[in-house]
Amino acid sequence: MKNVNLRVGRVLRASTRGFTIGCAVMQPDIPAFGSFVRADGATPRSAIYGLIYDVSLEDDPFVRQFISANPPEEVVRDQRQNRQVPIEVSVLTVGCADGEHIYHCLPAQPPITLDWLYQCDEEEVRAFTARFDYFRLVLEAREAPADELLAASLRFAAAARPEEERARFLTEAGRELSRLLASDLVRLEGLLRRLRAVTEVV
Amino acid sequence: MGRELAARHHKYDSLVKLARHWLEKYADRGELLRRSAQPVRAAIPTAEPLNFHGPLPPIPPRFTVVAADGSQIQPDRHGAVLYYLINIGSLVYRHGSGEAPLACSEPLLGYAEEELYEDGLLLSGNLLDLRRDIAEVTRLADLCASEPHGPVVALVDGTLLLWVLEERSEEWQRTQVMRYLDQLGRIQESGAAVAAFASRPRRSEVSRLLHLASVDGDAQRAIRETNPLEHLPDRAIFETLPPGARSALFISPASVNQNFYQPAGQTVHFFYLNLSAEEEEPVIARVEVPAWVAEQPDQLALVHAAVVAQARITGDYPYALARADELAFISAPEREALEEMIATSMMRVGVMPTPSPKAYYKSLTRSGRRRYGR
């Protein structure tokens, strides 16, 4: 399950509901909004799963100086690669694992400061999204743009599956949402529209 | 206060006008003034006319600027443990390469008895500054030696003239300066040029030279008579330099230059430089180079072009020096983290670190004031 090659960054601060990590460099696919990530849990082989819901860059007065100055490529690379301009990535906790089973619930303890956060590989994403119980945690999240986040996560989950399984997976996800949001038809309609858009993309 | 400031401003303007008038009037008196300049601490003229303007040379498409800067933590006799730290930041910036510059930060921690004391004196204040200056130029020499062939300019902030305690013996001073000059020699051997960059310089050496010229080069008269330009910074005189242009070259009259640098073939020359681009307000900096750069037109042109190219990245200060300073800087949290690491390592071997009572009470009273009631 562990994939040490896709490290996103290290944990800066954490609670059971979510955590923030810091990284120095942004790569094309890491970190991406809605992608599944994993931090090691407190006990061996345990893990905490989350969805990236925000990526922010801290303000830096030195960089401000170059905003309108059309800096040379060497300066752009220096600022991006050498200067430790912190990129903060916020993660919503959506599940945990004890080494054998995956649970769609909050972990007993959050990850610890400086723990590594990894991007989940396709196998992990498929295993985690074999059920849809994590939807409730996302839909109830107040700190994250829940509906956008859920749609983005389903796009990653569908893309992690073979092409012929994707439409069926998204249809099942839509059915689960219809059940959860039966009393909020306006929200449900918005989410189903987003899911339809996802179906067209994947 | 307003009237006083307005009067001072008016007087300043008239002094600048006088200085520029003298610069034109005595432009070709360099030869005559050369001998009498040093005793009055005036800039020593070279073969270039005093009012010389050197236009910005073509900026090479590919060249490298290597910059180093240092900062230090002074030993604190009230601290839990006596140590010093010198941190040297450096940046290797390859213009035209499109590559990320090479950034490095190299700390030197001194805590052993033989590192903390020199001739029985604690290595602090000027002594530590001296170590830092030598560490900076050593780092530059190392980087120049390992840089692949091509035009290379090594840059330091401030001055190439090492400030040594004049109350120490001449032999001691010579030893310190020679350690510095050896590193300049290594840079020369590597084929690189070296320069020091001073932002908003305050020196008045050219002002003194113009006063000397106004009294026919008579050093005794120049000492006796009041110099109206005494407090006029040279940079004010050179604000008329065209964008990118440099002034004439001069030789620094500093006694360390005459006593130690000159015999070693490293006489420090300087010029003023307008860093601004067309239609911008002038930004005057002072650039120092050793004789072996000043006397080679190609090397001098490279330094001139490289400094302007670097400064125009940020607007008015060489980018590589700004980054080297950033890499060298030791912030308060970093210092605290270092002291925690030192304390932890002491406790591991059974030694309890204890600050002096003064330091202890300062840590209590400065941690945040509290006031109850009115």
Side-chain angles (χ1 to χ4, degrees):
Chain A
M1 290 279 276
K2 301 282 161 74
N3 189 341
V4 291
N5 296 323
L6 289 169
R7 283 172 171 170
V8 183
R10 287 183 185 274
V11 173
L12 280 175
R13 52 184 177 273
S15 75
T16 46
R17 292 177 60 84
F19 42 97
T20 301
I21 64 128
C23 58
V25 182
M26 203 143 37
Q27 296 167 36
D29 301 323
I30 307 171
F33 176 77
S35 59
F36 288 85
V37 287
R38 170 179 44 78
D40 291 334
T43 54
R45 299 183 64 218
S46 66
I48 297 163
Y49 289 97
L51 291 173
I52 291 177
Y53 70 85
D54 192 32
V55 180
S56 66
L57 273 76
E58 286 204 349
D59 195 4
D60 181 335
F62 196 41
V63 170
R64 278 184 178 211
Q65 188 143 355
F66 302 111
I67 291 296
S68 58
N70 194 20
E73 185 60 22
E74 295 86 3
V75 170
V76 174
R77 286 178 183 260
D78 188 36
Q79 297 293 328
R80 287 184 180 167
Q81 294 173 29
N82 293 334
R83 289 190 78 232
Q84 293 180 335
V85 180
I87 298 165
E88 288 199 2
V89 180
S90 301
V91 176
L92 181 74
T93 304
V94 290
C96 53
D98 59 9
E100 290 177 18
H101 299 102
I102 291 173
Y103 306 97
H104 289 187
C105 63
L106 295 180
Q109 291 176 329
I112 304 170
T113 309
L114 296 182
D115 268 352
W116 278 107
L117 187 79
Y118 303 92
Q119 181 102 333
C120 291
D121 61 23
E122 289 188 346
E123 188 189 337
E124 282 178 290
V125 173
R126 284 198 301 274
F128 189 83
T129 53
R131 290 179 293 111
F132 298 122
D133 298 341
Y134 78 96
F135 283 8
R136 193 180 291 278
L137 285 169
V138 180
L139 291 171
E140 289 173 359
R142 273 172 292 177
E143 61 273 42
D147 296 3
E148 289 291 343
L149 181 62
L150 198 55
S153 76
L154 285 170
R155 184 163 65 82
F156 281 109
R161 290 172 158 75
E163 211 171 328
E164 61 276 13
E165 289 179 21
R166 290 174 186 171
R168 187 167 56 84
F169 169 77
L170 289 170
T171 306
E172 283 173 14
R175 282 202 190 103
E176 177 68 8
L177 283 173
S178 303
R179 199 176 63 76
L180 290 171
L181 295 174
S183 60
D184 190 348
L185 295 177
V186 176
R187 191 177 183 190
L188 176 63
E189 190 193 351
L191 253 168
L192 291 176
R193 275 178 198 276
R194 287 186 181 89
L195 265 192
R196 202 168 301 130
V198 170
T199 313
E200 285 160 15
V201 173
V202 297
Chain B
M1 185 179 171
R3 272 198 297 275
E4 164 69 23
L5 290 174
R8 200 185 300 168
H9 189 73
H10 184 70
K11 187 181 170 194
Y12 182 85
D13 283 350
S14 62
L15 289 178
V16 172
K17 269 185 201 155
L18 176 65
R20 287 178 187 160
H21 170 67
W22 282 353
L23 187 71
E24 296 303 321
K25 186 175 176 185
Y26 305 122
D28 56 356
R29 301 274 178 89
E31 179 80 37
L32 177 81
L33 300 168
R34 209 164 292 157
R35 185 165 295 196
S36 50
Q38 208 273 332
V40 294
R41 295 183 297 120
I44 301 167
T46 60
E48 292 177 344
L50 306 189
N51 64 348
F52 175 83
H53 288 184
L56 177 63
I59 293 175
R62 298 289 288 258
F63 65 100
T64 300
V65 172
V66 179
D69 202 4
S71 66
Q72 70 276 356
I73 297 177
Q74 296 279 350
D76 179 7
R77 65 190 177 89
H78 292 289
V81 61
L82 205 57
Y83 74 93
Y84 67 81
L85 178 78
I86 293 174
N87 194 37
I88 303 296
S90 62
L91 195 84
V92 179
Y93 187 120
R94 297 186 179 119
H95 281 258
S97 69
E99 296 168 7
L102 307 176
C104 183
S105 181
E106 193 176 275
L108 308 161
L109 185 65
Y111 56 89
E113 197 83 357
E114 62 275 15
E115 293 167 330
L116 279 171
Y117 295 93
E118 188 180 287
D119 299 335
L121 290 173
L122 180 64
L123 211 67
S124 63
N126 178 252
L127 277 178
L128 193 61
D129 292 347
L130 206 60
R131 284 284 175 98
R132 185 206 57 212
D133 290 345
I134 293 169
E136 279 175 15
V137 75
T138 305
R139 179 85 187 123
L140 274 184
D142 292 346
L143 289 168
C144 288
S146 60
E147 191 57 20
H149 288 295
V152 178
V153 175
L155 271 187
V156 292
D157 185 49
T159 179
L160 290 175
L161 292 161
L162 203 61
W163 190 70
V164 284
L165 291 165
E166 289 182 356
E167 64 263 30
R168 302 294 298 268
S169 71
E170 190 177 322
E171 198 43 48
W172 181 87
Q173 291 181 37
R174 184 183 307 281
T175 306
Q176 303 304 323
V177 175
M178 289 316 293
R179 288 172 67 195
Y180 191 87
L181 295 183
D182 285 348
Q183 300 305 322
L184 289 186
R186 285 182 62 212
I187 296 174
Q188 183 181 10
E189 279 169 24
S190 75
V194 66
F197 177 92
S199 176
R200 197 178 286 182
R202 293 280 321 158
R203 290 180 189 259
S204 302
E205 291 162 348
V206 176
S207 295
R208 280 193 214 110
L209 177 69
L210 295 175
H211 175 241
L212 180 69
S214 74
V215 293
D216 299 325
D218 183 339
Q220 292 307 313
R221 269 187 70 194
I223 292 166
R224 230 177 19 248
E225 294 177 15
T226 306
N227 175 7
L229 308 180
E230 181 60 39
H231 300 298
L232 185 72
D234 294 345
R235 70 168 194 275
I237 304 168
F238 293 109
E239 281 177 353
T240 52
L241 282 171
R246 73 164 174 88
S247 72
L249 273 168
F250 300 92
I251 294 169
S252 165
S255 55
V256 71
N257 199 24
Q258 313 304 314
N259 297 341
F260 304 118
Y261 282 63
Q262 194 173 12
Q266 303 270 14
T267 311
V268 170
H269 292 54
F270 69 89
F271 58 84
Y272 288 91
L273 180 58
N274 183 2
L275 302 167
S276 68
E278 295 291 339
E279 296 176 11
E280 286 179 1
E281 287 291 304
V283 179
I284 305 298
R286 176 179 159 122
V287 178
E288 291 180 354
V289 291
W292 48 271
V293 172
E295 288 161 6
Q296 287 189 44
D298 288 355
Q299 291 278 70
L300 187 62
L302 175 64
V303 167
H304 183 170
V307 169
V308 172
Q310 272 283 309
R312 285 184 178 172
I313 296 172
T314 62
D316 47 17
Y317 189 77
Y319 179 83
L321 277 178
R323 287 282 287 115
D325 170 76
E326 184 183 38
L327 290 159
F329 177 65
I330 306 162
S331 66
E334 284 166 343
R335 182 179 175 154
E336 275 175 27
L338 172 66
E339 290 185 351
E340 271 181 29
M341 286 162 71
I342 292 171
T344 307
S345 70
M346 287 171 72
M347 285 191 280
R348 273 204 196 110
V349 291
V351 181
M352 188 55 77
T354 46
S356 76
K358 178 177 172 174
Y360 174 70
Y361 285 104
K362 269 187 180 176
S363 74
L364 295 184
T365 55
R366 293 181 181 184
S367 61
R369 291 183 182 169
R370 299 278 188 276
R371 179 189 283 181
Y372 295 101
R374 295 186 66 193

